[in-house]
Amino acid sequence: MLAFVLLSFGQANDQKFDQQFALYPDVNTSPVVTQAEADSGKVKALGKVYRGPDEEQVSLDNGVVRFVCDLSGKVVEFQNRTTKASFASGISSPIIMLNEQIYDFSKADFGLRQIGAQGVLTSKPFDWRPLEGQTGTWPPRGMGLKFTYAHNEIQGLFIERIFEMYDREPSVRQKIVIRNGSTFPVALNQVSGSSAWPELWLKDLRMNLVLRPGRVLELPDQWVTLGGSGTEAGNGFRAKSRSMLQPWRGLKTEVAPSESITLDQAKMFKKGGTQVLLLPATVAVNWSSPTQADYDLVASFIKTTKEAKLIPGCIIDLQSIPAEEKDRTGEKNNAVCWLSFAGTHWRQNVMLTWKRMGFEYVQLKGELPTECTRPGHEHQGAAQSEFENREVIRQFVANGLSLGVVIEHPEVNAFGPNNWL
């Protein structure tokens, strides 16, 4: 579910936005750092906001790459600092439709009034609690540029276009945030854009998603990585970037032979390089409504795993969620809709169960819910049910990570690239 929050966003008067950047250093003072130097850690590559390089322009620069835009938020250039190769065309301009009115960010006059341009610190989407043995700052530090626009007719409706850059990483993240601080509901009818933003499943989808007063919606973001030759290195990251932005990814997992594993067996897994030991999926536990017998069943496994200095985990088959046919997205064997009664009950209770039992890693397998055609669920229509299910999954994973429970699924990324899904 999308969260409701209180907004305190004051409407600014028209102003000269270049004054917002008057005290930032000139971009020409930024040092050049090769990718090899940045990866080695011998030379710092710090993402900062700068003035220039030309009048009415601002930049994000970390020494490895430079991202330039004008004071209206229009992208000018994305450049590799070492080779000077650029790839501005890969930064897509989003198109959104609000109340049947199209707003195209690639156009100079796109129907919104700009009220802000500022440098901002990058923010964590959740407070991650590191697992045992994991250290370092998460996510890597960096800075961003935020351009804020007000709707010309609906007072209190704001749209933010944000670009972010992280230390040492040759990438830029773009995201759009819609804040409905008005007293009226607003319909998000459509989202589209070129290149890989937004994701394919959202392109040209007529959602008619209702943003009620006080609602904040962050659309799926775009990540662009710049290679040394000036070509986009896919909409994803290098392996090092993934490990920096998602340090819980790539943990070596193994499935225990049974819940009754001995300490000697567990230590053998540890000796072989295993980091996470998984309770077999065949062990029957009622995760959403556990009994004392369920706690007793896994207690020895948790104790033995931790004594061997392994991370205790479990495998959950999504098909095993207790549900009636009306709770599924379609046919009786389809995935359980996470906004149905059964789906809501399951996701609201399993997190507490995992924490109380001592699990720090959960591996989900099976089909994730997408479009749902069932009546009676908390959808605002079938057209946007897929979007709503993905939002619930995004929040579910974030809640887990903030509690120190890593939740993995082959189709889910907790933090860039292709944020969430």
Side-chain angles (χ1 to χ4, degrees):
M1 297 290 290
L2 298 177
F4 287 82
V5 300
L6 295 175
L7 297 178
S8 58
F9 200 102
Q11 181 150 342
N13 297 322
D14 292 334
Q15 55 185 304
K16 285 183 65 64
F17 298 120
D18 57 349
Q19 295 176 358
Q20 298 292 324
F21 302 95
L23 298 181
Y24 284 97
D26 190 294
V27 72
N28 294 320
T29 64
S30 173
V32 177
V33 179
T34 68
Q35 189 64 65
E37 290 171 333
D39 289 343
S40 70
K42 295 179 180 178
V43 178
K44 291 184 178 180
L46 301 179
K48 295 182 180 179
V49 175
Y50 292 89
R51 290 181 287 110
D54 294 332
E55 293 292 328
E56 306 294 319
Q57 290 182 350
V58 292
S59 298
L60 288 172
D61 192 307
N62 63 5
V64 177
V65 291
R66 174 179 295 175
F67 171 81
V68 184
C69 58
D70 65 22
L71 296 177
S72 71
K74 182 179 179 181
V75 178
V76 176
E77 186 177 34
F78 186 30
Q79 180 192 85
N80 184 293
R81 293 296 313 283
T82 304
T83 65
K84 303 297 183 182
S86 63
F87 188 66
S89 61
I91 311 294
S92 305
S93 291
I95 302 170
I96 60 176
M97 181 185 288
L98 297 171
N99 289 354
E100 301 295 333
Q101 176 67 44
I102 293 176
Y103 301 96
D104 186 345
F105 284 77
S106 67
K107 297 179 179 179
D109 183 12
F110 60 101
L112 298 173
R113 178 168 56 89
Q114 186 178 4
I115 61 171
Q118 63 187 113
V120 293
L121 291 172
T122 55
S123 60
K124 298 179 182 180
F126 42 80
D127 290 323
W128 177 62
R129 301 181 183 181
L131 302 177
E132 184 177 349
Q134 290 189 312
T135 60
T137 302
W138 178 89
R141 293 182 177 87
M143 290 197 72
L145 292 166
K146 181 170 72 174
F147 300 92
T148 307
Y149 312 90
H151 197 279
N152 286 326
E153 298 177 0
I154 304 176
Q155 184 175 2
L157 179 60
F158 304 100
I159 293 88
E160 298 170 359
R161 188 182 189 185
I162 303 169
F163 301 101
E164 294 180 345
M165 180 179 289
Y166 291 88
D167 298 355
R168 299 182 296 279
E169 301 308 310
S171 308
V172 167
R173 177 192 188 197
Q174 177 185 192
K175 60 183 180 180
I176 299 293
V177 179
I178 303 174
R179 300 178 181 271
N180 186 11
S182 73
T183 58
F184 307 100
V186 175
L188 174 62
N189 310 114
Q190 188 174 354
V191 179
S192 60
S194 59
S195 186
W197 189 95
E199 275 107 358
L200 292 174
W201 63 269
L202 192 56
K203 281 188 177 181
D204 302 318
L205 175 65
R206 294 189 63 82
M207 297 180 295
N208 295 316
L209 182 65
V210 178
L211 277 73
R212 294 183 175 86
R215 200 169 214 179
V216 178
L217 175 63
E218 182 177 318
L219 295 177
D221 54 4
Q222 179 197 29
W223 290 86
V224 178
T225 301
L226 189 62
S229 63
T231 57
E232 181 186 14
N235 196 40
F237 272 67
R238 300 169 302 127
K240 184 175 178 62
S241 300
R242 178 178 287 262
S243 67
M244 291 183 67
L245 293 169
Q246 301 181 88
W248 49 85
R249 297 289 295 223
L251 293 170
K252 184 179 180 182
T253 63
E254 293 287 352
V255 180
S258 71
E259 73 276 17
S260 303
I261 186 172
T262 67
L263 182 57
D264 286 342
Q265 289 175 316
K267 287 182 176 179
M268 288 299 294
F269 279 104
K270 178 70 174 180
K271 187 177 180 179
T274 299
Q275 296 166 284
V276 181
L277 195 59
L278 299 170
L279 183 74
T282 53
V283 178
V285 177
N286 188 343
W287 300 106
S288 57
S289 300
T291 63
Q292 186 58 50
D294 291 320
Y295 282 92
D296 294 340
L297 182 64
V298 302
S300 177
F301 172 81
I302 297 292
K303 181 175 182 293
T304 302
T305 302
K306 289 187 174 181
E307 286 182 355
K309 300 189 182 303
L310 292 166
I311 299 170
C314 58
I315 303 175
I316 308 293
D317 187 346
L318 294 175
Q319 194 64 34
S320 68
I321 296 176
E324 299 180 17
E325 186 174 347
K326 65 181 180 180
D327 297 311
R328 301 189 181 277
T329 56
E331 302 297 327
K332 64 179 181 179
N333 292 324
N334 282 19
V336 175
C337 174
W338 284 33
L339 287 101
S340 67
F341 175 81
T344 301
H345 178 269
W346 186 84
R347 61 184 169 81
Q348 288 181 345
N349 289 278
V350 293
M351 200 79 69
L352 185 58
T353 299
W354 295 332
K355 282 297 293 182
R356 283 178 171 174
M357 287 184 171
F359 289 103
E360 298 180 49
Y361 182 99
V362 177
Q363 191 175 90
L364 301 178
K365 70 174 187 176
E367 180 186 3
L368 288 172
T370 54
E371 182 175 321
C372 178
T373 59
R374 295 283 185 177
H377 300 182
E378 294 184 31
H379 301 308
Q380 296 162 359
Q384 81 286 346
S385 59
E386 181 175 5
F387 183 88
E388 292 174 339
N389 264 308
R390 289 172 184 265
E391 277 293 297
V392 170
I393 294 167
R394 179 184 74 87
Q395 191 60 55
F396 182 72
V397 174
N399 289 343
L401 287 168
S402 67
L403 292 173
V405 179
V406 171
I407 302 174
E408 295 271 39
H409 187 281
E411 299 176 30
V412 178
N413 285 317
F415 186 78
N418 294 330
N419 203 28
W420 305 115
L421 290 176

